[in-house]
Amino acid sequence: MNSWVNSAEILGSDLPLELSGTGNRRALLMDALREAVRSGRLAPGTRLPPYRSLAADLGLARNTVADAYAELVAEGWLAARQGSGTRVAERAAPVTPVHRPRTPERAARPVHDLVQGQPDPSVFPRTAWLASARRALAAAPDDAFGPGDPHGRPELRRALAGYLARVRGVRATPERIVICSGAAHGLRLLAEVVGGPWAAEEYGLPFHRELLASHGVGTRPLGVDADGARVDGLTRRDRAVLLTPAHQFPTGGPLHPARRAAVVDWARATGGLVVEDDYDGEFRYDRQPVGAVQGLDPEHVVLVGSVSKSLSPALRIGWMVLPQRLVAPVVAAKGEREQFSSATEQLTLADFIESGAYDRQVRRMRQRHRRRRDQLVAALHARAPHVRVTGIAAGLHAVVELPPGTERSAVRAAAWQGLAVEGLGDYLHPGAENALLAAPADDTPAPRRDGLVVGYATPAESAYPEALEALCRSLPPAAPPAAAPPSAATPAPAPPPPTAAP
Ligand SMILES: Cc1ncc(COP(=O)(O)O)c(C=O)c1O
């Protein structure tokens, strides 16, 4: 490893920089220094060489270096303190393209985290889980400690069949349920068994699209509007369609009832498969939960679910409720023995559901998420009344809609505030993005939507208010009111408050 990369002391007065290009030397030096900070080569807190020695090393006038330092201090990249020279500012954290290549503006060590994804890990119900684990272990038959059936433990499949029917309107028998290690694993198995190509909502989890692609299944983007996926775009060529009907991910609305019926009609007419990713169906706040599409036609819809949003993604337990014809092939695709899900964890979850602890946890989390959601809406109403917040009726995240063209700068501004948050564009299918770019001028494709996907469930209770503060500071200011035409004497209407759009 290059020892000078991160060490302020060794760096001392040696800072090799490439001033590429012609033109103003001060600007070139500033660009090189910004890039060194941005890339992480100069870590926050690193002391820069005295401007005299850097000027000598680079063959520049001292004033040029002194001016560049001063401007970078003014921009916030550097910090100058009496007696300790000039250092890289603490806030000027390097980006980390390693884990999240699609959000290079994410700070390396964000102070606040509003990236959607997981529930607050500190609220995992340890005591209740432990109680279930004890009971499950004590009651486990000896065969639970054998090699394991890839179909999944019968105790868990029975518990899930009852729970999913009661809560999600799923039509399931234990035989139709196959246990997997989360939705991602389920999709992998379905890709293998069903083959491609699939259609997928143009806004969706990139990880799922990539995972399908890595299993030979390409996805074609389906438009998404306020009524959910444009299922009228499905064709006979599509072997399956991946949908999030209860709560479109990440834009937020439920699939319109007419489209729910239409997608089932498409599946019946073409033999295609509807893959229903029911990732947060239990978390609906202002209305009754939206039942699963699977309930409309269990022979053409696979419901995929997991405990990742309701309990923890660490458990790696999920399920598929399959059409009868797919049960045997999917079980076969898992292999001869259970290789993915621990039998004791499955038994624990079965007890957790049967004992009512799962319902209690979901209800507790629903209240908590609703409170968080209300705090988010209230903060935006007070601090940024010009933005709309949508997708708030359900789930663990919402979308803060932004004026066109401001999303990337808002994500960058958030990184600058030490806030990790993602833009809607991070979820857009690359095919949809290309279609937008390639659309002829006389065609009018749906405009690209700018917005931030705000996960409000993740931060610890004490960290949430500050995360919201950082979010509000990151938003673009309200556009200045348009100049009034000479005849218009009335003032412009006040900007609408954040909406309660579903
Ligand atoms: C859209 C979506 N589907 C499903 C899941 C669950 O994935 P898994 O069960 O593989 O953790 C997530 C993440 O939690 C998600 O964001």
Side-chain angles (χ1 to χ4, degrees), residues 116-117 181-185 205 208 244 249 277 279 306 308-309 313 316:
Q116 72 71 34
S181 78
H185 182 213
L205 202 60
H208 284 172
T244 47
F249 183 86
D277 178 4
Y279 65 103
S306 80
S308 291
K309 300 281 191 189
R316 302 314 308 150

Side-chain angles (χ1 to χ4, degrees), residues 18-83:
E18 194 79 49
L19 301 193
S20 48
T22 52
N24 183 309
R25 309 291 283 162
R26 179 176 49 80
L28 292 177
L29 174 60
M30 286 173 67
D31 281 348
L33 286 168
R34 281 195 206 98
E35 184 48 35
V37 173
R38 214 181 278 124
S39 66
R41 186 183 150 202
L42 291 177
T46 302
R47 193 190 337 221
L48 295 186
Y51 63 84
R52 284 189 200 81
S53 67
L54 187 61
D57 286 350
L58 299 179
L60 298 173
R62 285 180 189 175
N63 278 352
T64 304
V65 180
D67 289 350
Y69 278 15
E71 278 197 50
L72 290 173
V73 168
E75 288 180 10
W77 294 85
L78 306 179
R81 233 177 300 134
Q82 197 75 39

Side-chain angles (χ1 to χ4, degrees), residues 316-332:
R316 302 314 308 150
I317 301 185
W319 49 86
M320 283 168 283
V321 185
L322 292 159
Q324 194 61 53
R325 69 180 191 287
L326 289 181
V327 173
V330 168
V331 171

Side-chain angles (χ1 to χ4, degrees), residues 263-500:
V263 76
V264 168
D265 287 346
W266 163 82
R268 287 178 182 160
T270 63
L273 184 70
V274 180
V275 180
E276 177 171 25
D277 178 4
D278 196 42
Y279 65 103
D280 66 1
E282 291 117 331
F283 294 107
R284 189 155 191 92
Y285 308 124
D286 303 322
R287 299 184 213 147
Q288 285 296 306
V290 178
V293 173
Q294 191 271 358
L296 297 180
D297 190 340
E299 291 307 332
H300 292 95
V301 183
V302 180
L303 178 119
V304 180
S306 80
V307 295
S308 291
K309 300 281 191 189
S310 53
L311 284 173
S312 160
L315 293 176
R316 302 314 308 150
I317 301 185
W319 49 86
M320 283 168 283
V321 185
L322 292 159
Q324 194 61 53
R325 69 180 191 287
L326 289 181
V327 173
V330 168
V331 171
K334 271 187 81 180
E336 274 181 26
R337 298 167 165 206
E338 179 58 84
Q339 307 166 58
F340 304 96
S341 307
S342 142
T344 51
E345 293 288 80
Q346 291 185 52
L347 290 172
T348 302
L349 179 59
D351 181 278
F352 200 75
I353 294 170
E354 297 284 14
S355 67
Y358 192 74
D359 279 73
R360 282 194 292 281
Q361 178 68 7
V362 166
R363 271 205 304 278
R364 198 174 303 130
M365 288 299 99
R366 198 184 290 132
Q367 279 171 11
R368 182 189 170 97
H369 298 336
R370 182 193 282 137
R371 206 169 53 241
R372 293 280 181 101
R373 189 257 338 235
D374 292 347
Q375 279 172 274
L376 168 69
V377 172
L380 291 170
H381 185 49
R383 301 278 309 277
H386 55 289
V387 302
R388 260 166 60 90
V389 53
T390 57
I392 60 175
L396 284 67
H397 69 271
V399 173
V400 176
E401 294 188 357
L402 298 176
T406 61
E407 179 181 306
R408 293 327 298 171
S409 58
V411 173
R412 267 196 299 275
W416 196 251
Q417 298 287 340
L419 169 67
V421 68
E422 291 173 328
L424 259 184
D426 291 320
Y427 295 87
L428 189 59
H429 193 296
E433 209 161 5
N434 294 340
L436 277 183
L437 293 174
D442 55 351
D443 199 4
T444 47
R448 205 199 122 140
R449 297 160 66 170
D450 280 54
L452 296 179
V453 179
V454 176
Y456 47 76
T458 309
E461 207 67 78
S462 58
Y464 188 52
E466 281 194 26
L468 287 183
E469 268 295 303
L471 173 69
C472 292
R473 283 198 301 269
S474 312
L475 297 174
S487 59
T490 45
T499 60

Side-chain angles (χ1 to χ4, degrees), residues 3 117 139:
S3 57

